[in-house]
Amino acid sequence: MSAATMRSRTPDRLCAEAVDMARAEAVAAAGEAAVGEHLGAVADGDRVVTHYFACLEPAYRGWRWAVTVARAARAKNVTLDETVLLPGDDALLAPEWVPWSERLRPGDLGPGDLLPTEADDLRLEPGYTGEDAPPPDSPLSEEMEERVAAEDAEVTAGPPAGRPSPARASGTIAAVATELGMGRARVLSRYGLHTAADRWDESYGARSAMAQAAPAACMTCGFLVPLTGSLRQAFGVCANEFSPADGHVVSLTYGCGGHSEAAVMPKPPRPAPPVIDETRVDPMPLRPGRPDGSAEDAGQAGDTGPAENTVPGEPGGS
C-alpha cells in the first residue's frame, strides 16, 4: 500500500478539528432546527475531510448533512468545500424511476387526458398498404400529377381532430379504403388482438370464479351479442343488466347465474273453471238455528203465539 493511500485514510488534524465551522455552514444552509448532532468525520483525500451531522427533518429520516472542508498544502486555514444532504444506511429513499408508459395502468386515463401511441407500437399496424399513386400504366396517373402540381399547402387553425378530412383523388388506395370504411390510418395487429383476447379472457373467461359456478356458458345465452370479425369466434358483449358482466366483452366460455335458459320461471297455475250442477237442490234454512246447532221446531214455535190468534171450536181453541 502506497504512502499516499495511507495519508488519504487518515483525516487531516486541522480539518478534523473544524467541527464548529462545519456545523455553522450546515446551519446556514438548512437552519438550526434541521441540524443535529455530529456523527463523525471521514477523510476523502489529502487534507480533505467530510463532517456528518444528523438531519432532523421529519421527511428525511436517516439522512445526514455532509459538510466537506479542505486545507491547502502548508496552509493553516481550513476552507469550506461544499454542503450537501446525503442518505445514510437506513435512509428513506424514493423508488427507482419508472417511465410513464410502464407506470400507466387501466383506469388511469381520465377526461381530457391524451395517451400517445408510439409509431412502432406492436399492437397496431397500417390500415392499408401500398402507395397512393396508381400504377404507371393507369389512366389516372397524368390526372394525379396535374392535381399534385396545382395543390397549394394551406395552414388551418385549430386541432387536427376538428379539421375536415382532405379530399382524396379517386382511384387511389386511400380513397378506396375511405369509401369502404377502412379509412383508419392504423388498425389492430395480430399481436394487439391476441393481447386483448388474453386480457378479456382473464377477466371474463372460463377460469373465473363466476364461470366455474355458472349453470351454462355464454355461447348458449340469449343475452349475448356476438362481435364481428375474427373475435366473433371467441367473444361477445353481455347485454343482461342484472349480470356482473353487463356491457363487458365476455368469452363464449364465460357464464353467470343470469343465463337466459338457466332457470325459466313457471307460469302461475290457472284456477279450474266453476262447476254448476243444475240437477241438485240444496236446502236453505229460512230460520236461524239454535245455539246448540239444531233447527227450531215449527209446532213449538206456533204454541208460543198469542191467545187471541186461536179460533173457537177448533183444537186448541177455548
Side-chain angles (χ1 to χ4, degrees):
M1 184 177 296
S2 62
T5 304
M6 291 294 297
R7 288 197 303 269
S8 63
R9 290 187 176 183
T10 303
D12 181 75
R13 182 179 62 84
L14 295 180
C15 292
E17 293 176 354
V19 177
D20 296 338
M21 174 185 174
R23 174 182 290 276
E25 296 297 336
V27 171
E32 183 68 29
V35 181
E37 62 181 353
H38 184 252
L39 301 178
V42 176
D44 297 329
D46 292 342
R47 297 176 299 278
V48 179
V49 176
T50 299
H51 294 270
Y52 293 98
F53 299 90
C55 179
L56 303 181
E57 292 286 349
Y60 290 90
R61 182 179 63 84
W63 288 63
R64 303 174 298 176
W65 291 104
V67 181
T68 303
V69 295
R71 181 177 65 88
R74 293 185 298 275
K76 296 183 179 180
N77 296 330
V78 178
T79 59
L80 175 67
D81 191 355
E82 62 177 354
T83 302
V84 294
L85 182 63
L86 299 177
D89 297 335
D90 58 343
L92 293 178
L93 301 177
E96 186 178 356
W97 182 82
V98 180
W100 69 267
S101 58
E102 300 179 11
R103 298 196 307 267
L104 192 65
R105 292 293 178 267
D108 292 347
L109 193 65
D113 296 340
L114 296 179
L115 179 61
T117 55
E118 300 179 0
D120 55 349
D121 196 325
L122 297 178
R123 301 171 299 172
L124 300 172
E125 63 183 7
Y128 49 85
T129 58
E131 299 292 339
D132 285 343
D137 56 349
S138 174
L140 297 176
S141 298
E142 298 180 0
E143 180 183 356
M144 288 189 58
E145 292 179 359
E146 294 177 358
R147 290 186 178 183
V148 171
E151 287 180 354
D152 295 328
E154 297 181 359
V155 178
T156 305
R163 301 175 187 173
S165 300
R168 299 183 183 273
S170 60
T172 62
I173 296 179
V176 175
T178 303
E179 183 177 355
L180 297 179
M182 299 184 300
R184 294 177 294 172
R186 291 189 292 177
V187 296
L188 273 176
S189 62
R190 184 176 296 273
Y191 172 77
L193 287 175
H194 287 176
T195 55
D198 293 342
R199 187 171 61 252
W200 296 340
D201 187 74
E202 183 178 356
S203 301
Y204 298 98
R207 292 173 295 185
S208 61
M210 182 66 71
Q212 294 291 335
C218 290
M219 65 177 63
T220 59
C221 182
F223 295 107
L224 181 73
V225 180
L227 296 180
T228 59
S230 59
L231 293 177
R232 180 187 180 92
Q233 303 176 3
F235 296 96
V237 178
C238 179
N240 188 355
E241 61 178 329
F242 301 107
S243 172
D246 179 36
H248 294 275
V249 178
V250 297
S251 173
L252 297 183
T253 57
Y254 180 74
C256 67
H259 195 280
S260 61
E261 311 303 327
V264 180
M265 297 181 61
K267 295 182 179 180
R270 297 181 58 184
V275 178
I276 302 177
D277 188 1
E278 297 180 351
T279 63
R280 180 181 176 182
V281 178
D282 297 331
M284 302 294 294
L286 299 179
R287 297 185 180 184
R290 294 181 178 182
D292 57 356
S294 61
E296 185 179 359
D297 186 23
Q300 295 179 0
D303 294 343
T304 59
E308 57 271 12
N309 292 337
T310 61
V311 180
E314 302 229 336
S318 54

